Amino acid sequence: MVSSLLASPTFLGALFFSFLTLFLLPQPALAITRHYKFNVKLQNVTRLCHTKSILTVNGKFPGPRIIAREGDRLIIKVVNHVSNNISIHWHGIRQIRSGWFDGPGYITQCPIQTNQSYVYNYTIVGQRGTLFWHAHISWLRATVYGPIVILPKLGVPYPFPKPDKEIRPILFGEWFNADTEAVISQALQTGAAPNVSDAYTINGLPGPLYNCSAKDTYKLKVKPGKTYLLRIINAALNDELFFSIANHTFTIVEVDAVYTKPFQTNTLLITPGQTTNLLLKTKPNLPNATFLMLARPYATGQGTFDNTTVAGILQYKTTSTKHIKNLPLLKPTLPALNDTAFAFNFTSKLRSLASPQYPANVPQTVDKNFFFTIGLGTNPCPKNQTCQGPNNSTKFSASVNNISMILPSTALLQTHFFGKSNGVYATDFPSKPIIPFNYTGTPPNNTMVMNGTKVVVLPFNATVELVMQDTSILGAESHPLHLHGFNFFIVGQGIGNYDSNKDPKNYNLVDPVERNTVGVPSGGWVAIRFRADNPGVWFMHCHFEVHISWGLRMAWVVQDGKLPNQKLPPPPADLPKC
């Protein structure tokens, strides 16, 4: 009876239909939990014929890749095996109601001490694309960084033509022959600018333009007539970078894990903290050449910088190794080192996709307006000490609205959550400059900054407009500002001083680009908007490590909402202690 039933056409048809339903039809996009373990330890690494012991994660430089899908939960145990205190920031992850796991030392957590561990536990909500993780204390980010790849939910396609292949993320970095902790320690002690890096790197490799580095070259091998998705990350400490591939153009389709309207370019500008996804369409036929991929700085400040170039090689696959060695190596043309016009025009072309599936939810009305000046300044030289800052009598400093932030000795988020902020931070951060001046004109005689730990308090769900104005106090300079806990919309930018009567009339409130890191133009301003819908304490700072060390940083406190799902949960039991 059973055998005859199994053999019947009716049963076989039903079984076949069930197979089709189970395996061929679209299935629900189920989120999963992904576990990682990060062992922070020392590793000997040789670059530029110089071997030194560096901090790494799991012995890798750069560190391991995190791969997840939108909606997935990540549980990452970080174990500190070194003498340095450590914390890890998941750069660009919104951390919706999970601010305990954002990572900046003394802001959302005390650092992880030697032989201690901390489990970061968060869910990726409404994000897909490329981000990265990095150390967020002192200058340990120099070697402790790695990529985060967030794929769309299962069954959800990209809103651009599907590439033939996705390339492993390309990370720009900086290599110092010296110990970076010693570099910044000496600079803070003397008040001078720190020594610059010895090389830029692509995935940790300096490339053939540096001494003793031909074998340490990043190579991207491609086939003719194909489309490749390149995920570009600028993890460099102190430099914005131009990037180009000889005789090739590419199409930008995503920045900071947000889809954009595609546009073609042959040169990318990317600041520290920013990520960009590119579609590279290779030539239809095997070219009789190989091609250099170059990155070098966009530098606008008056100080010294690493004026070198990192090179990788784009190589078309062929069966003949001998043939490749004999091919000419073509070189791209990059903009001038200080080409602010190119930088301004490039950033102006970026637009949100603003489609029904991926809308641009730009706040159309504003509850809170802020105007912040961004730039360098000075601190007085301590008595009985010789300083090497401006005029050889002061120390370099940096500030927001002339306040240079002093990091507390405990984490701001803990003091906020438990209502113990008295004596740790003040809530009177100025919403505009205390003393207005001609911000991009002749600098004032007094370059001194004020020092303190102040925050801005925002009610839950308030809409915020923030205008950030570069200053020429010690020379105009571009500043990549990163906001933790939020994406924001860049609704306007300009050169010169911001005009509150004229400039808002030209805002783009339809499809402005959405990011987590923005370059404040050299000698100019940028206006951003965001909704304060994420309770907690959120860091905002320049992503030049030298400027954050000098105090160009501040914090926003977003109060809890009224509903349970609008409140910050209590801290985890293993939250590190100071």
Side-chain angles (χ1 to χ4, degrees):
M1 179 68 179
V2 174
S3 60
S4 63
L5 177 62
L6 291 175
S8 70
T10 303
F11 178 82
L12 291 175
L15 185 65
F16 181 66
F17 179 78
S18 298
F19 173 84
L20 286 176
T21 303
L22 182 61
F23 292 102
L24 301 185
L25 297 183
Q27 298 297 305
L30 299 177
I32 65 172
T33 299
R34 300 174 186 261
H35 294 264
Y36 289 85
K37 186 174 182 181
F38 278 18
N39 287 298
V40 180
K41 59 183 184 179
L42 294 173
Q43 181 74 34
N44 284 338
V45 173
T46 301
R47 297 290 184 269
L48 310 180
C49 280
H50 182 90
T51 301
K52 69 173 186 174
S53 183
I54 65 171
L55 265 67
T56 66
V57 169
N58 300 346
K60 296 182 178 181
F61 172 64
R65 176 179 50 165
I66 288 177
I67 299 179
R69 289 193 181 274
E70 179 186 349
D72 285 353
R73 180 185 179 192
L74 288 174
I75 297 179
I76 307 166
K77 183 175 183 179
V78 176
V79 185
N80 185 7
H81 300 279
V82 299
S83 59
N84 308 78
N85 289 343
I86 195 76
S87 70
I88 303 291
H89 172 50
W90 319 95
H91 185 110
I93 297 289
R94 284 288 316 275
Q95 298 290 1
I96 305 296
R97 297 177 63 239
S98 58
W100 302 109
F101 308 109
D102 189 43
Y106 301 105
I107 304 297
T108 58
Q109 68 167 92
C110 297
I112 307 167
Q113 299 179 23
T114 305
N115 297 323
Q116 300 295 311
S117 66
Y118 183 41
V119 177
Y120 293 87
N121 182 345
Y122 56 88
T123 299
I124 300 169
V125 180
Q127 293 182 280
R128 75 295 300 167
T130 304
L131 297 171
F132 74 120
W133 57 264
H134 60 78
H136 210 305
I137 184 169
S138 192
W139 278 29
L140 302 185
R141 181 166 69 85
T143 58
V144 181
Y145 62 87
I148 302 174
V149 174
I150 307 171
L151 301 172
K153 292 181 179 179
L154 281 170
V156 178
Y158 293 127
F160 48 81
K162 183 180 179 181
D164 295 296
K165 186 177 182 180
E166 297 192 19
I167 303 301
R168 290 181 71 94
I170 296 173
L171 295 95
F172 298 128
E174 287 180 83
W175 174 263
F176 290 74
N177 284 334
D179 175 11
T180 51
E181 291 302 279
V183 169
I184 185 56
S185 177
Q186 180 184 28
L188 293 177
Q189 183 177 356
T190 64
N195 293 334
V196 301
S197 55
D198 295 283
Y200 298 105
T201 58
I202 300 177
N203 288 357
L205 303 173
L209 303 185
Y210 294 102
N211 180 47
C212 189
S213 299
K215 62 179 178 58
D216 293 326
T217 300
Y218 173 79
K219 294 182 179 179
L220 175 56
K221 297 182 178 180
V222 298
K223 295 179 180 179
K226 301 292 184 183
T227 300
Y228 295 85
L229 178 65
L230 275 58
R231 301 175 183 271
I232 312 293
I233 299 166
N234 188 351
L237 282 187
N238 293 313
D239 289 283
E240 301 179 70
L241 295 170
F242 293 121
F243 171 69
S244 186
I245 304 174
N247 289 29
H248 288 74
T249 59
F250 34 75
T251 303
I252 294 177
V253 293
E254 178 247 297
V255 296
D256 291 3
V258 180
Y259 295 133
T260 63
K261 288 183 171 66
F263 83 87
Q264 283 194 334
T265 180
N266 56 17
T267 303
L268 167 69
L269 172 64
I270 186 167
T271 77
Q274 289 183 341
T275 65
T276 304
N277 280 8
L278 313 172
L279 291 179
L280 173 67
K281 191 171 180 61
T282 57
K283 298 183 179 301
N285 301 307
L286 192 67
N288 194 34
T290 54
F291 306 90
L292 280 175
M293 311 162 62
L294 298 184
R296 77 173 184 200
Y298 163 54
T300 55
Q302 296 184 355
T304 57
F305 62 95
D306 183 352
N307 186 11
T308 62
T309 304
V310 59
I313 295 176
L314 179 73
Q315 182 177 301
Y316 282 72
K317 292 181 180 178
T318 176
T319 56
S320 172
T321 305
K322 184 178 180 181
H323 174 69
I324 292 175
K325 291 181 178 180
N326 295 328
L327 291 177
L329 187 60
L330 303 184
K331 181 180 180 181
T333 300
L334 290 168
L337 290 164
N338 61 349
D339 196 339
T340 294
F342 176 93
F344 189 88
N345 291 333
F346 175 86
T347 54
S348 298
K349 292 176 183 177
L350 291 169
R351 293 283 188 273
S352 285
L353 196 55
S355 67
Q357 188 175 3
Y358 303 104
N361 296 317
V362 192
Q364 299 296 307
T365 59
V366 175
D367 300 321
K368 301 285 185 179
N369 281 281
F370 298 91
F371 182 82
F372 288 175
T373 52
I374 308 293
L376 304 186
T378 58
N379 270 320
C381 189
K383 290 183 179 180
N384 302 319
Q385 182 179 332
T386 302
C387 291
Q388 300 173 15
N391 302 319
N392 284 325
S393 59
T394 60
K395 288 188 171 189
F396 271 110
S397 186
S399 65
V400 180
N401 273 357
N402 205 45
I403 295 176
S404 184
M405 183 181 184
I406 299 173
L407 286 179
S409 57
T410 186
L412 292 181
L413 183 57
Q414 288 171 278
T415 58
H416 160 68
F417 185 86
F418 292 109
K420 297 181 178 180
S421 61
N422 189 31
V424 178
Y425 66 81
T427 58
D428 58 347
F429 192 94
S431 61
K432 59 184 179 181
I434 298 172
I435 302 175
F437 61 98
N438 182 0
Y439 306 114
T440 57
T442 303
N445 292 327
N446 183 5
T447 63
M448 294 294 177
V449 303
M450 294 182 288
N451 300 285
T453 309
K454 299 174 182 286
V455 304
V456 173
V457 178
L458 295 172
F460 181 82
N461 218 36
T463 52
V464 177
E465 179 175 308
L466 167 62
V467 176
M468 291 181 281
Q469 172 74 59
D470 181 39
T471 65
S472 58
I473 292 176
L474 290 180
E477 185 172 3
S478 177
H479 297 275
L481 264 290
H482 172 49
L483 175 60
H484 291 229
F486 301 93
N487 281 350
F488 51 76
F489 293 94
I490 303 173
V491 297
Q493 63 173 358
I495 300 298
N497 292 339
Y498 172 76
D499 188 324
S500 60
N501 295 317
K502 297 179 181 178
D503 289 323
K505 297 175 183 177
N506 298 318
Y507 281 177
N508 175 8
L509 300 179
V510 178
D511 63 349
V513 68
E514 183 179 350
R515 307 204 73 142
N516 63 60
T517 304
V518 59
V520 179
S522 176
W525 58 271
V526 64
I528 67 172
R529 287 187 179 185
F530 65 95
R531 183 178 294 276
D533 57 358
N534 196 5
V537 177
W538 304 106
F539 207 20
M540 190 178 82
H541 59 89
C542 184
H543 224 273
F544 289 154
E545 214 65 24
V546 58
H547 290 175
I548 190 175
S549 298
W550 284 340
L552 210 168
R553 53 199 178 192
M554 55 84 63
W556 306 81
V557 173
V558 178
Q559 296 172 322
D560 282 347
K562 296 180 179 179
L563 301 177
N565 65 352
Q566 297 172 342
K567 300 179 186 297
L568 181 67
D574 65 336
L575 187 70
K577 295 179 175 58
C578 289

